[in-house]
Amino acid sequence: MSLYIDQLKKKIIYRSNYRGTKEMDKLLGAFTEKYINQLEEKDLIQLIEFLEIDDNNLYNFYNGLNTDIEFKNNKINSLFKSFKFEK
């Protein structure tokens, strides 16, 4: 694994686990843990962009509620929407 990819993954793992709300920390942390080693570089970049979205919109998107933004049709959004969180 290249140093660049390794740094991307570390940034993603940190950002997904330290969101500001405990619920999203757990949800995004579990999502990232499940998929991070299966993603290609372009997917990792999409995941970084995804993690820049605020918690409220991510929560609403995950639960099929109205969001303030339009979510792109891409691999990360599809994986997140179909992700089954287990406590």
Side-chain angles (χ1 to χ4, degrees):
M1 175 173 14
S2 75
L3 181 59
Y4 174 70
I5 298 297
D6 190 40
Q7 289 174 335
L8 276 179
K9 287 183 177 183
K10 286 179 182 179
K11 179 179 180 177
I12 289 167
I13 290 168
Y14 180 84
R15 180 68 176 121
S16 66
N17 284 292
Y18 298 98
R19 301 283 307 174
T21 61
K22 190 173 188 177
E23 295 82 4
M24 290 307 291
D25 290 351
K26 289 182 178 186
L27 175 61
L28 289 170
F31 172 73
T32 299
E33 182 180 330
K34 179 173 182 173
Y35 292 110
I36 196 156
N37 290 320
Q38 301 171 26
L39 301 174
E40 298 176 14
E41 181 179 346
K42 66 182 177 80
D43 302 322
L44 293 171
I45 292 168
Q46 285 179 0
L47 183 52
I48 288 173
E49 293 170 0
F50 179 80
L51 292 172
E52 294 302 318
I53 299 171
D54 65 279
D55 286 353
N56 190 53
N57 277 310
L58 289 177
Y59 178 84
N60 287 348
F61 177 67
Y62 181 73
N63 289 296
L65 304 171
N66 290 332
T67 61
D68 297 333
I69 62 171
E70 186 174 332
F71 282 80
K72 297 176 184 174
N73 186 13
N74 62 33
K75 182 176 181 175
I76 298 302
N77 291 343
S78 296
L79 285 173
F80 184 67
K81 190 74 170 159
S82 64
F83 177 66
K84 304 293 183 217
F85 178 67
E86 297 178 18
K87 296 178 183 181

Coordinates of all heavy atoms in Angstrom, one line a residue:
M1 N 0.9 -1.2 0.0 CA 0.0 0.0 0.0 C 0.9 1.2 0.0 O 1.9 1.3 0.7 CB -0.9 0.0 1.2 CG -1.7 1.2 1.4 SD -3.0 1.2 2.7 CE -2.6 -0.2 3.8
S2 N 0.5 2.2 -0.8 CA 1.3 3.4 -0.9 C 1.1 4.3 0.3 O 0.1 4.2 1.0 CB 1.0 4.2 -2.2 OG -0.3 4.9 -2.0
L3 N 2.1 5.1 0.6 CA 2.0 6.1 1.7 C 0.8 7.0 1.6 O 0.1 7.3 2.5 CB 3.3 6.9 1.8 CG 3.4 7.9 2.9 CD1 3.3 7.2 4.3 CD2 4.7 8.6 2.8
Y4 N 0.5 7.4 0.3 CA -0.6 8.3 0.1 C -1.9 7.6 0.5 O -2.8 8.2 1.2 CB -0.6 8.7 -1.4 CG -1.9 9.5 -1.8 CD1 -2.1 10.8 -1.3 CD2 -2.8 8.9 -2.6 CE1 -3.2 11.5 -1.7 CE2 -4.0 9.6 -2.9 CZ -4.1 10.9 -2.5 OH -5.3 11.6 -2.8
I5 N -2.1 6.4 0.1 CA -3.3 5.6 0.4 C -3.4 5.4 1.9 O -4.5 5.5 2.5 CB -3.4 4.3 -0.4 CG1 -3.4 4.5 -1.9 CG2 -4.6 3.5 0.1 CD1 -4.7 5.3 -2.4
D6 N -2.3 5.1 2.5 CA -2.3 4.8 3.9 C -2.7 6.1 4.7 O -3.5 6.1 5.6 CB -0.9 4.4 4.4 CG -0.8 3.9 5.8 OD1 -1.8 3.3 6.2 OD2 0.2 4.3 6.5
Q7 N -2.2 7.3 4.3 CA -2.6 8.5 4.9 C -4.0 8.8 4.7 O -4.7 9.3 5.6 CB -1.7 9.7 4.3 CG -0.3 9.6 4.8 CD 0.6 10.6 4.2 OE1 0.3 11.1 3.1 NE2 1.7 11.0 4.8
L8 N -4.6 8.6 3.5 CA -6.0 8.8 3.2 C -6.8 7.9 4.2 O -7.8 8.4 4.8 CB -6.3 8.4 1.8 CG -6.1 9.4 0.7 CD1 -6.5 8.8 -0.7 CD2 -6.9 10.7 0.9
K9 N -6.5 6.7 4.3 CA -7.2 5.8 5.2 C -7.2 6.3 6.7 O -8.2 6.2 7.3 CB -6.7 4.4 5.1 CG -7.1 3.7 3.8 CD -6.6 2.3 3.7 CE -7.1 1.6 2.4 NZ -6.7 0.2 2.4
K10 N -6.1 6.7 7.1 CA -5.9 7.2 8.5 C -6.8 8.4 8.7 O -7.5 8.5 9.7 CB -4.5 7.5 8.8 CG -3.7 6.3 9.1 CD -2.2 6.6 9.4 CE -1.4 5.4 9.5 NZ 0.0 5.7 9.8
K11 N -6.8 9.3 7.7 CA -7.6 10.5 7.8 C -9.1 10.1 7.8 O -9.9 10.7 8.6 CB -7.4 11.4 6.6 CG -8.2 12.7 6.6 CD -7.8 13.5 5.4 CE -8.6 14.8 5.3 NZ -8.3 15.7 4.2
I12 N -9.5 9.2 7.0 CA -10.9 8.8 6.9 C -11.3 8.1 8.2 O -12.4 8.4 8.8 CB -11.1 7.8 5.7 CG1 -11.0 8.6 4.4 CG2 -12.4 7.1 5.8 CD1 -10.9 7.8 3.2
I13 N -10.5 7.2 8.7 CA -10.9 6.5 10.0 C -11.0 7.5 11.1 O -12.0 7.5 11.9 CB -9.8 5.5 10.3 CG1 -9.9 4.3 9.3 CG2 -9.9 5.0 11.8 CD1 -8.7 3.4 9.4
Y14 N -10.1 8.5 11.2 CA -10.2 9.5 12.3 C -11.5 10.3 12.1 O -12.3 10.5 13.1 CB -9.0 10.4 12.3 CG -9.1 11.5 13.4 CD1 -8.7 11.2 14.7 CD2 -9.6 12.7 13.1 CE1 -8.8 12.1 15.7 CE2 -9.7 13.7 14.1 CZ -9.3 13.3 15.4 OH -9.4 14.3 16.4
R15 N -11.7 10.8 10.9 CA -12.9 11.7 10.7 C -14.2 10.9 10.9 O -15.2 11.5 11.3 CB -12.8 12.2 9.2 CG -14.0 13.1 8.9 CD -13.9 14.4 9.6 NE -14.9 15.3 9.2 CZ -15.9 15.8 10.0 NH1 -15.9 15.6 11.3 NH2 -16.8 16.6 9.5
S16 N -14.3 9.6 10.6 CA -15.5 8.9 10.7 C -15.8 8.6 12.2 O -17.0 8.4 12.5 CB -15.5 7.6 9.9 OG -14.5 6.7 10.4
N17 N -14.8 8.5 13.0 CA -15.0 8.2 14.4 C -15.1 9.4 15.3 O -15.5 9.3 16.5 CB -13.9 7.3 14.9 CG -14.0 5.9 14.4 OD1 -14.9 5.2 14.8 ND2 -13.2 5.5 13.5
Y18 N -14.8 10.6 14.9 CA -14.9 11.8 15.7 C -15.7 12.9 15.0 O -15.1 13.8 14.4 CB -13.5 12.3 16.0 CG -12.7 11.3 16.8 CD1 -11.8 10.4 16.2 CD2 -12.9 11.1 18.2 CE1 -11.1 9.4 16.9 CE2 -12.2 10.2 18.9 CZ -11.4 9.3 18.3 OH -10.7 8.4 19.0
R19 N -17.0 12.7 14.9 CA -17.9 13.6 14.2 C -18.4 14.7 15.0 O -18.8 15.7 14.5 CB -19.1 12.7 13.7 CG -18.7 11.6 12.8 CD -18.4 12.0 11.4 NE -19.5 12.9 10.9 CZ -19.4 13.5 9.7 NH1 -18.3 13.4 9.0 NH2 -20.4 14.3 9.3
G20 N -18.7 14.4 16.3 CA -19.3 15.4 17.1 C -20.6 14.9 17.8 O -20.9 15.3 18.9
T21 N -21.2 13.9 17.2 CA -22.4 13.2 17.8 C -22.0 11.8 18.0 O -21.5 11.1 17.0 CB -23.7 13.4 17.0 OG1 -23.5 12.8 15.7 CG2 -24.1 14.9 16.8
K22 N -22.4 11.2 19.1 CA -22.0 9.8 19.4 C -22.7 8.9 18.4 O -22.0 7.9 18.0 CB -22.5 9.5 20.8 CG -22.0 8.2 21.4 CD -22.3 8.1 22.9 CE -21.7 6.9 23.5 NZ -22.0 6.8 24.9
E23 N -23.9 9.1 18.1 CA -24.6 8.2 17.1 C -23.9 8.2 15.8 O -23.7 7.1 15.2 CB -26.1 8.7 16.9 CG -26.9 8.7 18.2 CD -26.8 9.9 19.1 OE1 -26.0 10.8 18.8 OE2 -27.4 9.8 20.2
M24 N -23.5 9.3 15.3 CA -22.9 9.3 13.9 C -21.4 8.8 14.1 O -20.9 8.2 13.1 CB -22.9 10.7 13.3 CG -24.3 11.2 12.9 SD -25.1 10.0 11.8 CE -24.1 10.1 10.3
D25 N -20.8 9.0 15.2 CA -19.5 8.4 15.4 C -19.6 6.9 15.2 O -18.8 6.2 14.6 CB -18.9 8.7 16.8 CG -18.5 10.1 17.0 OD1 -18.5 10.9 16.0 OD2 -18.2 10.5 18.2
K26 N -20.6 6.3 15.9 CA -20.7 4.8 15.8 C -21.1 4.3 14.5 O -20.6 3.4 13.9 CB -21.8 4.4 16.9 CG -21.3 4.5 18.3 CD -22.3 4.0 19.3 CE -21.8 4.1 20.7 NZ -22.7 3.5 21.7
L27 N -22.1 5.0 13.8 CA -22.6 4.6 12.5 C -21.5 4.7 11.5 O -21.2 3.8 10.7 CB -23.8 5.4 12.1 CG -24.3 5.2 10.7 CD1 -24.8 3.8 10.5 CD2 -25.5 6.2 10.4
L28 N -20.9 5.9 11.4 CA -19.8 6.1 10.4 C -18.6 5.3 10.7 O -17.9 4.8 9.8 CB -19.5 7.6 10.2 CG -20.7 8.3 9.5 CD1 -20.4 9.8 9.6 CD2 -20.8 7.9 8.1
G29 N -18.2 5.1 12.0 CA -17.1 4.3 12.3 C -17.2 2.9 11.9 O -16.3 2.3 11.3
A30 N -18.4 2.3 12.1 CA -18.7 0.9 11.7 C -18.7 0.8 10.2 O -18.2 -0.2 9.6 CB -20.0 0.5 12.3
F31 N -19.3 1.8 9.5 CA -19.4 1.8 8.1 C -17.9 1.8 7.5 O -17.6 1.0 6.6 CB -20.2 3.0 7.6 CG -20.1 3.2 6.1 CD1 -20.8 2.4 5.2 CD2 -19.4 4.2 5.6 CE1 -20.7 2.6 3.9 CE2 -19.3 4.5 4.2 CZ -20.0 3.6 3.3
T32 N -17.1 2.7 8.0 CA -15.8 2.8 7.5 C -14.9 1.6 7.8 O -14.2 1.1 6.9 CB -15.1 4.1 8.1 OG1 -15.8 5.2 7.8 CG2 -13.6 4.2 7.7
E33 N -15.1 1.0 9.0 CA -14.3 -0.2 9.3 C -14.7 -1.3 8.4 O -13.8 -2.1 8.0 CB -14.7 -0.6 10.8 CG -13.9 -1.8 11.3 CD -14.3 -2.1 12.7 OE1 -14.6 -1.2 13.5 OE2 -14.2 -3.3 13.0
K34 N -16.0 -1.4 8.0 CA -16.4 -2.5 7.2 C -15.8 -2.4 5.7 O -15.4 -3.4 5.1 CB -17.9 -2.6 7.1 CG -18.4 -3.7 6.2 CD -19.9 -3.9 6.3 CE -20.3 -5.1 5.4 NZ -21.7 -5.4 5.6
Y35 N -15.8 -1.2 5.2 CA -15.5 -1.1 3.8 C -14.1 -0.5 3.4 O -13.7 -0.6 2.3 CB -16.6 -0.2 3.1 CG -17.9 -0.8 3.0 CD1 -19.0 -0.4 3.8 CD2 -18.1 -1.9 2.2 CE1 -20.2 -1.0 3.8 CE2 -19.4 -2.5 2.1 CZ -20.4 -2.1 2.9 OH -21.6 -2.7 2.9
I36 N -13.4 0.1 4.3 CA -12.2 0.9 4.0 C -11.2 0.1 3.2 O -10.5 0.6 2.3 CB -11.6 1.6 5.2 CG1 -10.7 2.7 4.7 CG2 -10.9 0.6 6.1 CD1 -10.4 3.8 5.6
N37 N -11.0 -1.1 3.5 CA -9.9 -1.9 2.9 C -10.4 -2.5 1.6 O -9.6 -3.2 0.8 CB -9.4 -3.0 3.8 CG -8.6 -2.4 4.9 OD1 -7.8 -1.5 4.7 ND2 -8.8 -2.9 6.1
Q38 N -11.7 -2.3 1.2 CA -12.2 -2.8 -0.1 C -12.3 -1.7 -1.1 O -12.7 -1.9 -2.3 CB -13.6 -3.3 0.2 CG -13.7 -4.5 1.1 CD -15.1 -4.9 1.5 OE1 -16.0 -4.6 0.7 NE2 -15.3 -5.4 2.6
L39 N -12.0 -0.5 -0.7 CA -12.1 0.7 -1.6 C -10.9 1.0 -2.4 O -9.8 0.9 -1.9 CB -12.6 1.9 -0.8 CG -13.9 1.8 0.0 CD1 -14.1 3.0 0.9 CD2 -15.0 1.5 -0.9
E40 N -11.1 1.5 -3.6 CA -10.0 2.0 -4.4 C -9.7 3.4 -4.1 O -10.5 4.1 -3.4 CB -10.4 1.8 -5.9 CG -10.6 0.4 -6.3 CD -11.0 0.3 -7.8 OE1 -10.9 1.3 -8.5 OE2 -11.5 -0.8 -8.1
E41 N -8.7 4.0 -4.7 CA -8.3 5.4 -4.4 C -9.4 6.4 -4.7 O -9.7 7.2 -3.9 CB -7.0 5.8 -5.2 CG -6.6 7.2 -4.9 CD -5.3 7.6 -5.6 OE1 -4.6 6.7 -6.2 OE2 -5.1 8.8 -5.7
K42 N -10.1 6.2 -5.8 CA -11.2 7.1 -6.2 C -12.3 7.0 -5.2 O -13.0 8.0 -4.9 CB -11.6 6.9 -7.6 CG -12.3 5.6 -7.9 CD -12.7 5.5 -9.3 CE -13.3 4.1 -9.6 NZ -14.7 4.0 -9.3
D43 N -12.6 5.8 -4.7 CA -13.6 5.6 -3.7 C -13.2 6.3 -2.4 O -14.1 6.9 -1.7 CB -13.9 4.2 -3.5 CG -14.3 3.4 -4.8 OD1 -15.0 4.0 -5.6 OD2 -13.9 2.3 -4.9
L44 N -12.0 6.2 -2.0 CA -11.5 6.8 -0.8 C -11.7 8.3 -0.8 O -12.1 9.0 0.1 CB -10.1 6.5 -0.5 CG -9.8 5.0 -0.2 CD1 -8.3 4.7 -0.1 CD2 -10.5 4.6 1.1
I45 N -11.4 8.9 -2.0 CA -11.6 10.3 -2.2 C -13.1 10.7 -2.1 O -13.4 11.7 -1.4 CB -11.0 10.8 -3.5 CG1 -9.4 10.6 -3.4 CG2 -11.4 12.2 -3.8 CD1 -8.7 10.8 -4.7
Q46 N -13.9 9.9 -2.7 CA -15.4 10.1 -2.5 C -15.8 10.0 -1.0 O -16.6 10.8 -0.6 CB -16.2 9.1 -3.3 CG -16.2 9.3 -4.8 CD -17.0 8.2 -5.5 OE1 -17.5 7.3 -4.9 NE2 -17.0 8.4 -6.8
L47 N -15.2 9.1 -0.3 CA -15.5 8.9 1.1 C -15.1 10.1 1.9 O -15.8 10.6 2.8 CB -14.9 7.6 1.7 CG -15.2 7.3 3.1 CD1 -16.7 7.3 3.4 CD2 -14.6 5.9 3.4
I48 N -14.0 10.7 1.6 CA -13.5 11.9 2.3 C -14.5 13.0 2.0 O -14.9 13.7 3.0 CB -12.1 12.4 1.8 CG1 -11.1 11.4 2.4 CG2 -11.8 13.8 2.2 CD1 -9.7 11.6 1.9
E49 N -15.0 13.2 0.8 CA -16.0 14.2 0.5 C -17.3 13.9 1.2 O -17.9 14.8 1.7 CB -16.2 14.2 -1.0 CG -15.0 14.8 -1.8 CD -15.2 14.6 -3.3 OE1 -16.2 14.0 -3.8 OE2 -14.3 14.9 -4.0
F50 N -17.7 12.7 1.3 CA -18.9 12.2 2.0 C -18.8 12.6 3.5 O -19.8 13.1 4.0 CB -19.0 10.7 1.8 CG -20.2 10.1 2.5 CD1 -21.4 10.2 1.9 CD2 -20.0 9.4 3.7 CE1 -22.5 9.6 2.6 CE2 -21.1 8.9 4.3 CZ -22.4 8.9 3.8
L51 N -17.7 12.4 4.1 CA -17.5 12.7 5.5 C -17.5 14.2 5.8 O -17.6 14.6 7.0 CB -16.2 12.1 6.0 CG -16.3 10.6 6.1 CD1 -14.9 10.0 6.4 CD2 -17.3 10.0 7.0
E52 N -17.4 15.1 4.8 CA -17.5 16.5 5.0 C -19.0 17.0 5.1 O -19.2 18.1 5.5 CB -16.8 17.2 3.8 CG -15.3 17.0 3.7 CD -14.6 17.4 5.0 OE1 -14.9 18.5 5.6 OE2 -13.7 16.7 5.5
I53 N -19.9 16.1 4.8 CA -21.3 16.4 4.9 C -21.7 16.4 6.4 O -21.2 15.6 7.2 CB -22.2 15.4 4.1 CG1 -21.8 15.5 2.6 CG2 -23.7 15.7 4.3 CD1 -22.4 14.4 1.8
D54 N -22.6 17.4 6.8 CA -22.9 17.5 8.2 C -23.7 16.2 8.7 O -24.4 15.5 7.9 CB -23.7 18.8 8.4 CG -25.1 18.7 7.7 OD1 -25.1 19.0 6.5 OD2 -26.1 18.4 8.3
D55 N -23.7 16.0 10.0 CA -24.3 14.8 10.6 C -25.8 14.7 10.3 O -26.3 13.7 10.1 CB -24.1 14.8 12.1 CG -22.6 14.4 12.4 OD1 -21.9 14.0 11.6 OD2 -22.3 14.5 13.6
N56 N -26.5 15.9 10.4 CA -27.9 15.9 10.2 C -28.3 15.3 8.8 O -29.2 14.5 8.7 CB -28.5 17.3 10.4 CG -30.0 17.2 10.5 OD1 -30.6 16.5 11.2 ND2 -30.6 18.1 9.7
N57 N -27.6 15.8 7.8 CA -27.9 15.4 6.4 C -27.5 13.9 6.2 O -28.3 13.2 5.6 CB -27.3 16.3 5.4 CG -28.1 17.5 5.1 OD1 -29.3 17.4 4.8 ND2 -27.4 18.7 5.2
L58 N -26.4 13.5 6.8 CA -26.0 12.1 6.7 C -27.0 11.2 7.4 O -27.4 10.1 6.9 CB -24.6 11.9 7.3 CG -23.5 12.4 6.4 CD1 -22.2 12.2 7.2 CD2 -23.4 11.8 5.1
Y59 N -27.5 11.6 8.6 CA -28.4 10.8 9.3 C -29.7 10.7 8.5 O -30.3 9.6 8.4 CB -28.7 11.5 10.7 CG -29.7 10.7 11.5 CD1 -29.4 9.6 12.3 CD2 -31.1 11.1 11.5 CE1 -30.3 9.0 13.0 CE2 -32.0 10.5 12.2 CZ -31.6 9.4 13.0 OH -32.6 8.7 13.7
N60 N -30.2 11.8 8.0 CA -31.5 11.8 7.2 C -31.3 11.0 6.0 O -32.2 10.2 5.6 CB -31.9 13.2 6.9 CG -32.4 14.0 8.1 OD1 -32.7 13.4 9.1 ND2 -32.6 15.3 8.0
F61 N -30.2 11.1 5.3 CA -30.0 10.3 4.1 C -30.0 8.8 4.4 O -30.6 8.0 3.7 CB -28.6 10.7 3.5 CG -28.2 9.9 2.2 CD1 -29.0 10.0 1.1 CD2 -27.2 9.0 2.3 CE1 -28.6 9.2 0.0 CE2 -26.8 8.3 1.2 CZ -27.5 8.4 0.0
Y62 N -29.3 8.4 5.5 CA -29.2 7.0 5.9 C -30.6 6.4 6.2 O -31.0 5.3 5.9 CB -28.3 6.9 7.1 CG -28.2 5.5 7.6 CD1 -27.4 4.5 6.9 CD2 -28.8 5.0 8.7 CE1 -27.3 3.2 7.3 CE2 -28.7 3.7 9.2 CZ -27.9 2.8 8.5 OH -27.7 1.5 8.9
N63 N -31.5 7.3 6.8 CA -32.8 6.8 7.2 C -33.9 7.1 6.2 O -35.1 7.0 6.5 CB -33.1 7.5 8.6 CG -32.3 6.9 9.7 OD1 -32.4 5.7 10.0 ND2 -31.4 7.7 10.3
G64 N -33.5 7.6 5.0 CA -34.5 7.9 4.0 C -35.4 9.1 4.2 O -36.5 9.2 3.7
L65 N -34.9 10.0 5.0 CA -35.6 11.3 5.3 C -35.2 12.4 4.3 O -34.2 12.2 3.6 CB -35.4 11.7 6.7 CG -35.8 10.6 7.8 CD1 -35.3 11.1 9.2 CD2 -37.3 10.3 7.8
N66 N -35.9 13.5 4.3 CA -35.5 14.6 3.5 C -34.1 15.2 3.9 O -33.9 15.3 5.1 CB -36.5 15.7 3.5 CG -37.8 15.3 2.8 OD1 -37.8 14.5 1.9 ND2 -38.9 15.8 3.2
T67 N -33.3 15.6 3.0 CA -32.1 16.2 3.2 C -32.0 17.6 2.6 O -32.8 17.9 1.7 CB -30.9 15.4 2.6 OG1 -31.1 15.3 1.2 CG2 -30.9 14.0 3.2
D68 N -31.1 18.4 3.2 CA -31.0 19.8 2.7 C -30.1 19.9 1.4 O -30.0 20.9 0.8 CB -30.3 20.7 3.7 CG -31.2 20.9 4.9 OD1 -32.4 20.7 4.8 OD2 -30.7 21.1 6.0
I69 N -29.4 18.8 1.1 CA -28.5 18.7 -0.1 C -28.9 17.5 -0.9 O -29.6 16.6 -0.5 CB -27.1 18.6 0.4 CG1 -26.8 17.3 1.2 CG2 -26.6 19.8 1.2 CD1 -25.4 17.0 1.5
E70 N -28.4 17.5 -2.1 CA -28.7 16.4 -3.0 C -27.4 15.5 -3.0 O -26.3 15.9 -3.2 CB -28.9 16.9 -4.5 CG -29.3 15.8 -5.4 CD -29.7 16.3 -6.8 OE1 -30.1 17.4 -6.9 OE2 -29.5 15.5 -7.7
F71 N -27.7 14.2 -2.7 CA -26.6 13.2 -2.7 C -26.4 12.7 -4.1 O -27.3 12.3 -4.8 CB -26.9 12.1 -1.7 CG -26.7 12.5 -0.3 CD1 -27.7 13.3 0.4 CD2 -25.6 12.1 0.4 CE1 -27.5 13.6 1.7 CE2 -25.4 12.5 1.7 CZ -26.4 13.2 2.4
K72 N -25.1 12.6 -4.5 CA -24.7 12.1 -5.8 C -25.0 10.6 -5.8 O -25.0 9.9 -4.8 CB -23.2 12.3 -6.0 CG -22.9 13.8 -6.1 CD -21.4 13.9 -6.3 CE -21.0 15.4 -6.3 NZ -19.5 15.6 -6.3
N73 N -25.2 10.1 -7.0 CA -25.3 8.6 -7.2 C -23.9 8.1 -7.4 O -23.4 8.1 -8.5 CB -26.2 8.3 -8.4 CG -26.5 6.9 -8.5 OD1 -26.3 6.1 -7.6 ND2 -27.1 6.5 -9.6
N74 N -23.3 7.6 -6.3 CA -21.9 7.0 -6.5 C -21.8 5.8 -5.5 O -22.7 5.5 -4.8 CB -20.8 8.1 -6.2 CG -20.9 8.7 -4.8 OD1 -21.2 8.0 -3.9 ND2 -20.5 9.9 -4.7
K75 N -20.7 5.2 -5.6 CA -20.4 3.9 -4.9 C -20.6 4.1 -3.3 O -21.2 3.3 -2.7 CB -19.1 3.4 -5.2 CG -18.7 2.1 -4.5 CD -17.4 1.5 -5.0 CE -17.1 0.2 -4.3 NZ -15.8 -0.4 -4.9
I76 N -20.0 5.2 -2.8 CA -20.0 5.4 -1.4 C -21.4 5.7 -0.9 O -21.8 5.1 0.1 CB -19.1 6.6 -1.0 CG1 -17.6 6.3 -1.4 CG2 -19.2 7.0 0.5 CD1 -17.0 5.1 -0.8
N77 N -22.1 6.5 -1.6 CA -23.5 6.8 -1.1 C -24.4 5.5 -1.2 O -25.2 5.3 -0.3 CB -24.1 7.9 -2.0 CG -23.5 9.2 -1.7 OD1 -22.8 9.4 -0.7 ND2 -23.7 10.2 -2.6
S78 N -24.2 4.7 -2.2 CA -24.9 3.4 -2.3 C -24.5 2.5 -1.2 O -25.4 1.8 -0.6 CB -24.6 2.8 -3.7 OG -25.1 3.6 -4.7
L79 N -23.3 2.4 -0.9 CA -22.8 1.5 0.2 C -23.4 1.9 1.5 O -23.9 1.1 2.3 CB -21.3 1.4 0.2 CG -20.6 0.6 -0.8 CD1 -19.1 0.8 -0.7 CD2 -20.9 -0.8 -0.7
F80 N -23.4 3.3 1.7 CA -23.8 3.8 3.0 C -25.3 3.6 3.1 O -25.8 3.2 4.2 CB -23.5 5.3 3.1 CG -23.9 5.9 4.4 CD1 -23.2 5.5 5.6 CD2 -24.9 6.9 4.5 CE1 -23.6 6.1 6.8 CE2 -25.2 7.4 5.7 CZ -24.6 7.0 6.9
K81 N -26.1 3.8 2.1 CA -27.5 3.7 2.1 C -27.9 2.3 2.4 O -28.9 2.0 3.1 CB -28.1 4.2 0.8 CG -29.6 4.3 0.7 CD -30.0 5.5 1.5 CE -31.5 5.8 1.3 NZ -32.1 6.5 2.3
S82 N -27.2 1.3 1.9 CA -27.5 -0.1 2.1 C -26.8 -0.7 3.3 O -27.1 -1.9 3.6 CB -27.2 -0.9 0.8 OG -25.8 -0.9 0.6
F83 N -26.0 0.0 4.0 CA -25.3 -0.5 5.2 C -26.2 -0.8 6.3 O -27.1 0.0 6.6 CB -24.3 0.6 5.6 CG -23.5 0.2 6.9 CD1 -22.6 -0.9 6.9 CD2 -23.7 0.9 8.0 CE1 -21.9 -1.2 8.0 CE2 -22.9 0.6 9.2 CZ -22.1 -0.5 9.2
K84 N -26.1 -2.0 6.9 CA -26.9 -2.4 8.0 C -26.1 -2.3 9.3 O -25.2 -3.0 9.5 CB -27.4 -3.8 7.9 CG -28.1 -4.1 6.6 CD -29.4 -3.4 6.6 CE -30.2 -3.7 5.3 NZ -31.0 -2.6 4.8
F85 N -26.4 -1.3 10.1 CA -25.7 -1.0 11.3 C -26.1 -2.0 12.4 O -27.3 -2.1 12.7 CB -25.9 0.4 11.8 CG -25.2 0.8 13.1 CD1 -23.8 0.8 13.2 CD2 -25.9 1.0 14.2 CE1 -23.2 1.1 14.4 CE2 -25.3 1.3 15.4 CZ -23.9 1.3 15.5
E86 N -25.2 -2.7 13.0 CA -25.5 -3.6 14.1 C -24.8 -3.1 15.4 O -23.6 -2.9 15.4 CB -25.1 -5.0 13.8 CG -25.8 -5.5 12.6 CD -25.3 -6.9 12.2 OE1 -24.6 -7.6 13.0 OE2 -25.5 -7.3 11.0
K87 N -25.6 -2.9 16.4 CA -25.1 -2.4 17.7 C -24.2 -3.4 18.4 O -24.4 -4.5 18.3 CB -26.2 -1.9 18.6 CG -26.9 -0.7 18.0 CD -28.1 -0.3 18.8 CE -28.8 0.8 18.1 NZ -29.9 1.3 18.9

